[in-house]
Amino acid sequence: HHQQQHHHHHQPPLQSAVDTRDGAPPSVASTQTSPPYQCVITDARYGAKPDNTTINTAAIQRAIDTCHAASPAWSRVVVPEGAFKTGSLELRSNMELHLEAGAGLYGSTNPSDYPIVEGLPFGKMWRALISGYNLTNVKVTGSNTAVPAEDDRASIIDGVGWWWNCLLYESHGSLTSNIPNPDAAPYCKIFNPHNRTVAQVAGMTGRAPLRPKLVEMFNCTSVTIADFTAQNAACWTIHPTYSRDVVVQRMTVRGPRE
């Protein structure tokens, strides 16, 4: 398994990184002092492809769900080096989603890759690229060694927000874009040549849903977000909501360029 060639010496001291994929999963009674049960998304059982073209949503979600089922007490889903395109992912309790050095998750620009979630306090919205609901003990971590992270070995979660932000929305009776800088107009002609609105893309009338946030934890306890680059969000970037015991540290956060 080529995945086993990846070393973890660069990873922050948040959790031991021993690969236990080929061993028996730890018992539910085990504590987090034990190595986590680990799943690498490129393993043949999941099949994620780092070509920045294949939509890997199903493969990565399968790794998340399989890892959690095998070890509900503590599991770790690893994104190895490479560019993985994906839609919205939903994490589980007692889980760490970890990006190795040079690993990137890049958001799909197909709205159907993001379920529209109802009933949350902001009304209808596309579910975040990395999401968690009603979870306990959840981590999203990378392998960045400096802030800001400037090198090509950064761990990146990128919302590919230009596509979304160039969509139009109705404001005070007129249509406007989420990128008001006129210098952005040539780019928006590429990303939204037919001047589509957010509501049209969602296939609905009335108030348009909120575009997908980058990382959102809703009603969660014990959340860690650390050591990666969060950039180009389609909406808000790091969004813990109704959550407690939240630690956000050593992050490089970049908004879409205007």
Side-chain angles (χ1 to χ4, degrees), residues 11-115:
Q11 105 116 9
L14 294 175
Q15 176 65 36
S16 172
V18 177
D19 189 339
T20 56
R21 285 176 300 144
D22 298 323
S27 69
V28 175
S30 67
T31 69
Q32 285 189 32
T33 57
S34 304
Y37 184 81
Q38 185 161 289
C39 304
V40 180
I41 65 170
T42 50
D43 186 278
R45 289 171 287 181
Y46 318 119
K49 294 180 173 58
D51 55 15
N52 206 19
T53 301
T54 303
I55 302 298
N56 290 293
T57 318
I60 300 174
Q61 191 65 54
R62 185 161 54 246
I64 290 168
D65 295 342
T66 301
C67 219
H68 176 69
S71 179
W74 185 223
S75 62
R76 192 169 192 255
V77 176
V78 175
V79 182
E81 181 178 1
F84 298 86
K85 183 171 282 191
T86 181
S88 177
L89 301 169
E90 187 173 2
L91 302 182
R92 306 299 181 208
S93 287
N94 302 316
M95 173 173 285
E96 178 183 10
L97 176 67
H98 179 69
L99 285 76
E100 294 192 330
L105 293 174
Y106 293 87
S108 167
T109 54
N110 184 344
S112 65
D113 291 325
Y114 303 79

